[in-house]
Amino acid sequence: MALGTLTALPVPAPRRIDRRVAGTAMLLAPVAAVPLAALALGMVLLGDLAGLPPLVTAGLAVGAVALGTRGLHLDGLADTADGLGVAAKTRLSPGSDGRERALEVMRGGDSGPAGIATLVLVLVVQCAALGGAVAEGHGPAAAVVAVFASRAALSLCCARGVPSARPGGLGDAVAGTTPISLTCLCFLVVAGVSALAPGLPWWQGPASVLAGFVVAGALLARCVRRLGGITGDVLGACVEASATATLLVLSG
């Protein structure tokens, strides 16, 4: 379930999907992201070997990871931005909190101005931040840590107590499935391993993972407040937000 949901790898469908399987899949998200991390690492190394400008190398790495996920998380980011924008507008109308309208817009799949603008800005920041890390000589470490940290944030989004915004779909299947203790353990493991990343001060990796979790948590809280819980789109948006924050800390 983790590989089939989070990557484009052709894997067999799970024999069964229940809340225990779903929670385990979200906790194993960083492990399932190993192929994506290898893809990002390879692109950065190839860019360095070819003598490409840092920004070009970063763009290739970010694009490769997006292709490796079928653009799933980027699509979720755009849909979530549109949904939150609609919720903010319609909640001002008498007798409406905007939740149902926002979820309807997110289900539609078409990207509006808010979604497109958010998508462009996030990709620009990600490429610029990774380009800065490449220029500083620790681009490979930054690319790998960002992939792992952003996928680890999924355990936070699916922690016990986080509701689903609507019945059905990925969000409903995984909402509230990861015990808080294991979510904390997932964070500690990824942060601890990032402290060993070559080319980085021991503190920079854990600091970037923490930044990714904080930003993902802030976006999660806003979505729960405005939308009533999580959807599959919200999960994708939190992954991209976490990756962006992680790369910003690793950019220098």
Side-chain angles (χ1 to χ4, degrees):
M1 179 178 176
L3 282 169
T5 302
L6 302 174
T7 75
L9 290 176
V11 296
R15 289 189 295 272
R16 66 184 177 88
I17 297 179
D18 54 26
R19 293 187 64 77
R20 182 176 181 181
V21 171
T24 303
M26 293 300 99
L27 287 169
L28 290 176
V31 179
V34 168
L36 300 176
L39 189 59
L41 174 63
M43 294 307 297
V44 172
L45 292 177
L46 285 174
D48 282 345
L49 185 63
L52 297 177
L55 187 57
V56 174
T57 297
L60 291 174
V62 170
V65 173
L67 287 175
T69 61
R70 309 182 193 92
L72 181 68
H73 305 314
L74 293 173
D75 179 69
L77 174 66
D79 287 345
T80 300
D82 282 331
L84 290 175
V86 169
K89 291 178 181 178
T90 56
R91 68 190 292 265
L92 300 177
S93 303
S96 174
D97 63 3
R99 179 188 301 179
E100 291 304 321
R101 175 57 182 156
L103 292 174
E104 181 182 345
V105 167
M106 292 168 69
R107 276 196 298 265
D110 297 330
S111 294
I116 293 173
T118 300
L119 193 59
V120 171
L121 288 172
V122 166
L123 287 174
V124 167
V125 172
Q126 286 183 1
C127 291
L130 181 55
V134 171
E136 291 294 324
H138 54 262
V144 171
V145 170
V147 169
F148 286 139
S150 57
R151 274 61 184 179
L154 286 171
S155 64
L156 174 65
C157 298
C158 302
R160 295 277 168 81
V162 177
S164 170
R166 60 174 178 243
L170 177 62
D172 190 41
V174 300
T177 57
T178 59
I180 294 177
S181 59
L182 294 182
T183 296
C184 294
L185 179 61
C186 183
F187 165 75
L188 291 174
V189 169
V190 174
V193 172
S194 71
L196 305 176
L200 293 175
W202 69 267
W203 57 268
Q204 194 170 15
S208 70
V209 176
L210 177 60
F213 263 68
V214 169
V215 170
L219 178 57
L220 173 66
R222 185 170 182 82
C223 289
V224 170
R225 185 168 62 251
R226 290 290 175 88
L227 306 176
I230 63 169
T231 67
D233 286 331
V234 171
L235 296 179
C238 288
V239 166
E240 293 299 336
S242 176
T244 304
T246 302
L247 286 171
L248 281 172
V249 175
L250 297 172
S251 62

